[in-house]
Amino acid sequence: MSFSSRAKAELCQLRIDRKCCAIAESYGVLLYCNTFSAREIRIITASPDFAARLPRLFRKAFGLGFDTLPREDCNGKRSFSISDPAKLTAVFETFGADRATMLSHHINFGVIEEDCCRASFIRGAFLSGGSVTDPAKRYHLELATQHHSVSREAYSVLLDMGFSPKESERAGNSLLYFKQADTIADFFTSIGASGTAMGIMTAKVEKEMRNTITRQINCDNHNTDKTVAAAQEQMAAIRRIAKEYGLDALPEPLKDAALLRIANPEVSLADLATLSYPPVTKSCLNHRFRKIMNFKPEE
């Protein structure tokens, strides 16, 4: 089951208690479904949980059932439809619309005046026309509808709820979308899916931890590479001196540093300083190796 399917499954566990919220949720479903016209309502979903919720939701909201229902043994997409004129008229009138004269859909804000009803409306929109990407991969939630005016007005609804979605168009649909983990988590909390919200934030924390560990490993590897490269340069200089002049040509402090490096060819400068006797600072040892790198005996 996809992350989006699990989110819808959680939302469908919410009780349908208040008629006003059932109407608001149904409103969101219809304005974001496959077909909502004066001749037909058709809702197609691949979510078994949403399919189980729809008949109860419409019974609570409108006191009516669907004309056609999916087969009970259906495992793919499930289709619900209403074509009976009397039922269609009842649905349109519930939202204050005249089925006979309506030219395009607009949100009747009087139906979703209460905070609970606005949340229910957006919940219905997500169940019918929404999707969310697995947060382990990326953060993306969108609501897609065929009705541009509805999308623009839903934008205002989300603004009233404290959200600022982005807008786009794709394949004839108007989209509202979010790409921030915190915002998507807040969105799900506001419409009743706190478990989904927690899943998003958990995925964000895990992703940030992995990124931090990766950066630390890369930093450590970089520092190790620098340490090895510096030690190799120092060893090359020491071998040159030993071959051309002999290590006894070095002043005593430089000779001690050279012998210490020969005995510890891959140790960092800081660790090498702690091995010195008498102890010296890292800065002091670094200064001695710079002299070794440039050493030429006096004529």
Side-chain angles (χ1 to χ4, degrees):
M1 182 183 291
S2 69
F3 188 85
S4 194
S5 297
R6 292 197 299 272
K8 291 183 179 183
E10 181 182 5
L11 289 170
C12 289
Q13 298 306 309
L14 297 174
R15 292 172 57 87
I16 308 171
D17 292 328
R18 301 181 63 183
K19 183 172 182 177
C20 64
C21 291
I23 290 172
E25 184 176 325
S26 299
Y27 204 11
V29 168
L30 290 167
L31 291 176
Y32 277 80
C33 74
N34 300 83
T35 305
F36 181 30
S37 71
R39 293 185 176 184
E40 181 188 30
I41 289 171
R42 183 172 297 276
I43 305 167
I44 300 174
T45 179
S47 168
D49 301 276
F50 184 36
R53 184 178 181 83
L54 271 172
R56 293 183 285 113
L57 183 66
F58 271 52
R59 183 68 64 183
K60 183 74 172 182
F62 311 115
L64 53 82
F66 288 96
D67 294 335
T68 60
L69 294 166
R71 300 190 315 272
E72 290 187 5
D73 61 349
C74 179
N75 292 320
K77 290 186 176 180
R78 299 158 175 84
S79 180
F80 299 77
S81 68
I82 296 175
S83 56
D84 180 87
K87 291 182 179 180
L88 290 170
T89 297
V91 170
F92 275 80
E93 288 180 349
T94 300
F95 303 130
D98 186 343
R99 169 173 162 257
T101 61
M102 188 201 72
L103 298 176
S104 64
H105 286 293
H106 289 276
I107 297 175
N108 179 353
F109 290 97
V111 177
I112 54 174
E113 284 185 322
E114 301 297 326
D115 290 345
C116 59
C117 293
R118 281 194 289 273
S120 296
F121 174 83
I122 295 299
R123 179 168 59 248
F126 178 77
L127 287 171
S128 186
S131 63
V132 61
T133 302
D134 186 342
K137 298 176 181 177
R138 62 190 180 100
Y139 308 123
H140 183 88
L141 179 147
E142 67 179 38
L143 301 173
T145 177
Q146 303 170 41
H147 313 293
H148 178 71
S149 56
V150 169
S151 190
R152 290 296 301 149
E153 291 158 1
Y155 181 95
S156 298
V157 176
L158 287 166
L159 283 180
D160 287 342
M161 294 172 65
F163 299 101
S164 297
K166 302 292 185 182
E167 298 180 276
S168 184
E169 301 282 334
R170 186 180 66 236
N173 287 327
S174 295
L175 309 179
L176 299 177
Y177 66 92
F178 302 102
K179 286 184 173 293
Q180 299 80 33
D182 292 354
T183 302
I184 296 172
D186 289 343
F187 174 92
F188 279 115
T189 298
S190 71
I191 64 173
S194 57
T196 300
M198 182 64 70
I200 291 168
M201 296 311 297
T202 299
K204 180 186 177 185
V205 170
E206 290 175 350
K207 189 180 296 185
E208 289 176 347
M209 287 179 63
R210 285 196 300 270
N211 290 340
T212 298
I213 292 170
T214 299
R215 284 194 300 270
Q216 186 62 54
I217 290 172
N218 290 339
C219 181
D220 290 345
N221 288 341
H222 177 67
N223 290 336
T224 300
D225 291 344
K226 286 176 62 179
T227 296
V228 171
Q232 288 176 346
E233 289 181 6
Q234 293 159 7
M235 286 295 295
I238 292 167
R239 284 193 293 268
R240 176 184 61 82
I241 294 169
K243 180 179 179 180
E244 295 180 6
Y245 314 112
L247 293 183
D248 288 338
L250 290 168
E252 200 64 28
L254 300 189
K255 182 180 177 181
D256 290 344
L259 292 173
L260 193 61
R261 172 53 79 196
I262 292 171
N264 303 277
E266 296 182 355
V267 171
S268 69
L269 204 60
D271 290 339
L272 205 60
T274 64
L275 297 174
S276 299
Y277 185 81
V280 297
T281 65
K282 176 183 175 182
S283 176
C284 175
L285 197 57
N286 186 48
H287 179 70
R288 290 179 182 178
F289 277 119
R290 283 204 302 270
K291 286 188 173 184
I292 290 174
M293 302 283 286
N294 301 312
F295 176 78
K296 286 185 180 180
E298 295 180 0
E299 297 292 342

